[in-house]
């Protein structure tokens, strides 16, 4: 993947053209899905799709004037920092409020892209066009923010600052949750394998400590290097990496700390293992709740993914250690 700062003017225009085409199709998909439930809102999305096609036409004309008819094969998926669009098969029968949040994120990213692109454009005409498109995308974001005003009650709108919540989720909840999931689940197998292989609390604690810290370092660097935040607005990559790394480490330490129970105690191993099992239970259910609360994941699906998956990893660790 390429950094945004490394793109040439030709590549910037090519990415913009393909992005406008894809976003137009996404808006038409939303319009078709909402036509029976909210026909007035569906018309708004049809208009937005038409505007995106107009943006693509303007960009294509500018590109052909500057570089000719051939477009390089580069899309936004090839540029570091772009958020991935939700697959089409996951955009069916969404609530209007969920669609609004999706559109707000799309348009915020598009606006930031055009602002950044205009700043580094050398050609005056290209810079002017990109600046105009940034303003147009900002207008779309405002339309999306007002889209459900007549459907959502005023008390609900007053309670939720949509933009701040979205950015909070992007900057802190996503990396923190990814770290917590990895730390809580990935360390289960080595920890409980060591526990049942040795029946020694101190040795088990050392294995869990090493696994937790190692996973935290790995996840922290992976998050920090995955997105510089310049386009997505996800904030400092090192802050996200630190958040992800710390949550990964904490996720592993939660069920590691019980093995500090001294081996000199009577039934020390089973006391520590019992406490660790209780901690694991609450960890997995907490992760499932956070996914359902902040990541728009159905609760039962989150439970199936996290609790069942964690239980399987736990069982694998116990079986390997007891072998």
């Amino acid at each position: 993947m390429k950094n945004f700062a490394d793109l040439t003017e030709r590549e910037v225009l090519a990415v913009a053209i393909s992005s406008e085409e894809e976003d137009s199709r996404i808006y038409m998909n939303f319009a078709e899905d909402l036509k029976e439930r909210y026909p007035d809102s569906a018309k708004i999305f049809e208009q937005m799709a038409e505007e995106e096609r107009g943006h693509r036409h303007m960009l294509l004309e500018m590109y052909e004037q500057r570089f000719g008819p051939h477009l390089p094969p580069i899309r936004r998926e090839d540029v570091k920092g772009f958020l991935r669009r939700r697959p089409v098969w996951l955009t069916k029968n969404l609530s209007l409020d969920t669609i609004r949040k999706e559109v707000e994120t799309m348009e915020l990213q598009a606006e930031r892209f055009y602002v950044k692109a205009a700043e580094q454009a050398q050609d005056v005409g290209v810079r002017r066009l990109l600046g105009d498109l940034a303003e147009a995308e900002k207008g779309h974001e405002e339309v999306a923010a007002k889209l459900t005003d007549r459907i959502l009650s005023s008390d609900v709108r007053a309670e939720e600052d949509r933009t701040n919540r979205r950015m909070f989720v992007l900057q802190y909840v996503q990396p923190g949750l990814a770290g917590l999931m990895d730390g809580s689940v990935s360390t289960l197998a080595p920890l409980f394998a060591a526990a049942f292989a040795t029946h020694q609390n101190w040795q088990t604690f050392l294995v869990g400590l090493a696994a937790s810290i190692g996973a935290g370092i790995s996840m922290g660097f992976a998050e920090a290097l995955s997105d510089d935040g310049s386009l997505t607005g996800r904030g400092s990559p090192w802050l996200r990496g630190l958040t992800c790394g710390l949550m990964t480490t904490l996720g592993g330490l939660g069920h590691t700390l019980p093995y500090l129970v001294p081996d000199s105690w009577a039934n020390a191993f089973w006391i520590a293992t019992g406490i660790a099992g209780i901690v694991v239970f609450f960890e997995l259910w907490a992760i499932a709740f956070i996914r359902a609360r902040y990541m728009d994941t159905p609760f039962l699906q989150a439970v199936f993914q996290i609790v069942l998956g964690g239980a399987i990893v736990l069982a694998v660790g116990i079986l390997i250690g007891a072998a």
Side-chain angles (χ1 to χ4, degrees):
M1 298 180 70
K2 300 189 67 172
N3 291 318
F4 177 77
D6 297 331
L7 295 180
T8 65
E9 193 168 84
R10 181 185 185 190
E11 289 173 330
V12 167
L13 288 175
V15 170
I17 290 168
S18 65
S19 298
E20 293 289 355
E21 182 178 0
E22 183 180 358
D23 286 350
S24 174
R25 293 199 300 266
I26 292 174
Y27 289 142
M28 283 305 301
N29 190 67
F30 286 151
E32 291 176 1
D33 189 41
L34 293 171
K35 187 170 293 184
E36 293 185 3
R37 293 179 289 161
Y38 306 112
D40 292 338
S41 297
K43 292 178 181 178
I44 293 176
F45 280 115
E46 289 175 356
Q47 294 170 3
M48 293 173 71
E50 184 61 33
E51 285 191 39
E52 299 294 86
R53 286 193 288 269
H55 295 170
R56 180 185 182 278
H57 181 70
M58 289 188 292
L59 287 163
L60 192 58
E61 282 189 341
M62 177 63 71
Y63 180 91
E64 290 176 346
Q65 291 174 12
R66 294 270 293 149
F67 305 107
H70 174 66
L71 285 170
I74 183 171
R75 302 170 63 84
R76 57 185 161 205
E77 289 80 5
D78 303 318
V79 182
K80 186 182 293 186
F82 269 108
L83 292 176
R84 297 293 181 262
R85 296 293 189 248
R86 190 190 293 255
V88 173
W89 56 88
L90 295 180
T91 61
K92 293 293 185 182
N93 299 316
L94 298 177
S95 68
L96 185 57
D97 192 38
T98 299
I99 291 176
R100 173 188 51 76
K101 289 187 286 186
E102 190 88 4
V103 173
E104 282 183 358
T105 301
M106 289 171 58
E107 296 302 331
L108 175 64
Q109 185 184 33
E111 179 195 351
R112 292 176 65 88
F113 169 76
Y114 284 126
V115 169
K116 288 283 185 180
E119 289 175 356
Q120 68 181 49
Q122 301 297 318
D123 183 81
V124 176
V126 172
R127 189 184 306 120
R128 184 185 301 114
L129 174 59
L130 295 174
D132 291 343
L133 290 176
E135 289 299 317
E137 299 296 349
K138 184 176 181 179
H140 280 182
E141 186 184 353
E142 293 171 355
V143 169
K146 298 175 181 177
L147 190 59
T148 54
D149 280 356
R150 64 183 180 279
I151 296 173
L152 295 177
S153 60
S154 58
D155 58 332
V156 173
R157 292 197 303 272
E159 291 174 2
E160 178 182 295
D161 185 341
R162 293 186 293 264
T163 301
N164 287 339
R165 181 179 184 276
R166 181 184 69 236
M167 300 313 297
F168 173 75
V169 170
L170 289 175
Q171 293 178 358
Y172 299 104
V173 176
Q174 277 188 353
L177 181 60
L180 187 61
M181 288 171 57
D182 185 84
S184 297
V185 177
S186 69
T187 57
L188 287 177
L191 179 75
F192 283 93
F196 281 84
T198 65
H199 280 244
Q200 298 293 319
N201 285 357
W202 180 245
Q203 284 81 354
T204 300
F205 171 76
L206 292 178
V207 170
L209 182 64
S212 300
I213 295 176
I217 294 172
S218 175
M219 286 291 290
F221 274 101
E223 174 62 34
L225 297 175
S226 66
D227 174 13
D228 62 9
S230 62
L231 295 181
T232 61
R234 297 181 68 208
S236 166
W238 296 111
L239 179 60
R240 293 195 328 272
L242 181 63
T243 300
C244 184
L246 286 176
M247 292 305 294
T248 303
T249 302
L250 289 175
L253 288 178
H255 44 260
T256 297
L257 291 176
Y259 285 96
L260 285 174
V261 171
D263 287 309
S264 58
W265 289 14
N267 297 317
F269 170 74
W270 293 110
I271 292 173
T273 301
I275 296 173
I278 293 172
V279 171
V280 169
F281 175 83
F282 283 106
E283 283 177 345
L284 297 179
W285 280 96
I287 293 171
F289 172 79
I290 294 172
R291 278 178 61 87
R293 175 70 177 82
Y294 289 101
M295 307 306 293
D296 295 325
T297 303
F299 183 69
L300 292 180
Q301 179 181 334
V303 170
F304 181 81
Q305 292 174 341
I306 303 301
V307 178
L308 181 60
I312 293 173
V313 174
L314 174 64
V316 168
I318 293 174
L319 289 174
I320 293 174

